[in-house]
Amino acid sequence: MARSDYLFTSESVSEGHPDKVCDRISDAVLDAFMTADPYSRVACETFATTDRVTIGGEVRGPGEVIARVEEIARECVRDIGYEQDGFHWANMKVDSYLHAQSADIAQGVDSAGNKDEGAGDQGIMFGFAVDETPELMPAPIHYSHAILRRLAEVRKDGTEPKLGPDAKSQLTLRYRDGKPVEVTSIVLSTQHIDPSLTSADVQDIVTPYIREVLPEGWLTNATEWHVNPTGKFVIGGPDGDAGLTGRKIIVDTYGGAAPHGGGAFSGKDPTKVDRSAAYAARYLAKNIVAAGLATKCVLQLSYAIGVSKPLSIYVDTFGTGTADEAAIEKAVAKAMNLTPRGIREHLQLNRPIFERTAAYGHFGRAPEADGGFSWEKTDLVDALHAAL
């Protein structure tokens, strides 16, 4: 039997965190290729450290994009806000080592004759949804993201000019009868431009914004606050700690509240099921909950490289389902074509919509008019009911 009273913790990191700087650059390169050719193949990795960004990987697409990679990287870092000694968008050294995609991988992925487009790799992907927030996301990760997103807004619009780009948040929530009811502790470490600021000064700056985004009544007199607990945090970003694409997969997904597959997302085009099938799995899990078939759902998909159809579909509703899980699995397969091509076409992923996913989570965001976050729609509800 599942526990109903417990504490659970999730963390988020800001767009200025070293790993997120790298995710942003990798996804910006991907978007540039998708703009030039919607069927480009991209697997772009970025490494960042003091005054240096190194980009590498495999691509198949217009050559003029490769010539623009340095410009793309500098624009990302400029927009994030790094103009400090040790990491400045105008002064950092940028090296690009992008090269042609492996022909061995391409032959497995490409469609040919009677062969449909295959998965770009083997792997397992998970989607998750739960009714504890309106976005059907786990509350700890959802509100950890919300805090940092709000602080980034007031930093970049000039309201709080003393804050820097690099930040982390962490929330511990108390669950009672399976629902989040209060914050027992909050941890926030944020870079600050003014070295004279104390931890107490920083807490005074950030507290109104934290109260603004958290549900009313969740912060109590018993809530423990740890704001910049080490003291001064002036040296931030890749100058303080090296960054790498794909190192924040739990931050990108469900904050540890659900399983995660082995692959990261950023820098990968949608033929790569690490990304596209994880989006499809979230889409399906969210629609299952939105359809009233469960209040909590995890869904797993598995693939083999070069094979179009998924090898397995697994659904667990944690005892909250209103339909048999095996029946839901069959309904899912009827309601959506889960081949790589089917996922790309259903969610319309061959568009430059990926740079915006690089920070504050790939899930729990509002669908956008140009197709961004299409996997957050709940437009499959009727199809699931019909399939059942």
Side-chain angles (χ1 to χ4, degrees), residues 18-58:
D19 296 328
K20 284 291 148 198
V21 172
C22 295
D23 286 344
R24 170 78 176 271
I25 293 170
S26 292
D27 274 336
V29 171
L30 169 61
D31 274 0
F33 273 102
M34 299 299 280
T35 299
D37 177 1
Y39 297 96
S40 295
R41 300 284 172 78
V42 181
C44 177
E45 308 287 349
T46 303
F47 167 74
T49 187
T50 302
D51 270 338
R52 182 179 292 269
V53 168
T54 302
I55 301 162
E58 302 78 46

Side-chain angles (χ1 to χ4, degrees), residues 301-332:
L301 302 172
S302 69
Y303 291 85
I305 187 168
V307 178
S308 59
K309 291 186 177 181
L311 305 181
S312 64
I313 302 171
Y314 168 78
V315 168
D316 184 357
T317 58
F318 304 92
T320 71
T322 60
D324 179 72
E325 288 159 333
I328 296 175
E329 291 164 358
K330 292 178 181 178
V332 160

Side-chain angles (χ1 to χ4, degrees), residues 40-41 101 109 117-121 269-273 276 340 344:
S40 295
R41 300 284 172 78
Q101 183 188 40
V109 177
E117 181 180 296
D121 202 353
D269 74 78
T271 68
K272 294 165 179 61
V273 286
S276 57
R344 287 192 299 105

Side-chain angles (χ1 to χ4, degrees), residues 11-24 80 82 144-153 155-156 163-170 188-191 233 236-238 248 251-252 358-361:
E11 70 157 348
S12 179
V13 296
S14 72
E15 63 199 72
H17 184 279
D19 296 328
K20 284 291 148 198
V21 172
C22 295
D23 286 344
R24 170 78 176 271
I80 290 168
Y82 278 115
S144 292
H145 287 322
I147 289 168
L148 294 184
R149 191 182 305 116
R150 183 67 182 124
L151 292 178
E153 289 170 355
R155 170 178 64 85
K156 296 172 87 169
L163 298 180
D166 196 355
K168 283 186 172 185
S169 64
Q170 181 173 290
L188 180 78
S189 294
T190 181
Q191 185 183 11
F233 183 7
K248 287 292 178 284
V251 170
D252 287 341
Y360 313 118

Side-chain angles (χ1 to χ4, degrees), residues 106-303:
Q107 71 178 353
V109 177
D110 291 347
S111 58
N114 293 326
K115 175 186 174 297
D116 194 6
E117 181 180 296
D121 202 353
Q122 70 177 51
I124 57 173
M125 299 83 206
F126 289 93
F128 182 69
V130 63
D131 68 350
E132 60 192 47
T133 62
E135 297 78 8
L136 303 184
M137 282 290 287
I141 186 67
H142 180 73
Y143 289 109
S144 292
H145 287 322
I147 289 168
L148 294 184
R149 191 182 305 116
R150 183 67 182 124
L151 292 178
E153 289 170 355
V154 295
R155 170 178 64 85
K156 296 172 87 169
D157 69 14
T159 304
E160 298 295 350
K162 294 182 179 180
L163 298 180
D166 196 355
K168 283 186 172 185
S169 64
Q170 181 173 290
L171 285 180
T172 299
L173 301 188
R174 182 181 304 283
Y175 282 71
R176 187 172 296 125
D177 296 327
K179 299 294 183 183
V181 295
E182 68 171 312
V183 179
T184 62
S185 68
I186 179 168
V187 183
L188 180 78
S189 294
T190 181
Q191 185 183 11
H192 50 95
I193 305 304
D194 183 350
S196 69
L197 293 181
T198 65
S199 296
D201 294 331
V202 175
Q203 183 165 334
D204 288 341
I205 293 172
V206 302
T207 295
Y209 304 109
I210 293 173
R211 292 189 178 278
E212 177 185 322
V213 302
L214 290 177
E216 187 175 354
W218 278 21
L219 290 171
T220 72
N221 292 334
T223 301
E224 295 181 20
W225 290 70
H226 303 278
V227 176
N228 282 14
T230 63
K232 187 168 67 172
F233 183 7
V234 175
I235 300 173
D239 187 32
D241 189 11
L244 193 67
T245 298
R247 280 205 297 206
K248 287 292 178 284
I249 58 177
I250 299 301
V251 170
D252 287 341
T253 54
Y254 307 105
H260 188 285
F265 303 152
S266 289
K268 296 177 181 177
D269 74 78
T271 68
K272 294 165 179 61
V273 286
D274 279 344
R275 181 169 219 158
S276 57
Y279 290 175
R282 161 63 179 173
Y283 175 66
L284 292 168
K286 185 175 184 182
N287 276 270
I288 288 167
V289 174
L293 301 177
T295 59
K296 183 177 182 180
C297 176
V298 67
L299 184 145
Q300 185 204 57
L301 302 172
S302 69
Y303 291 85

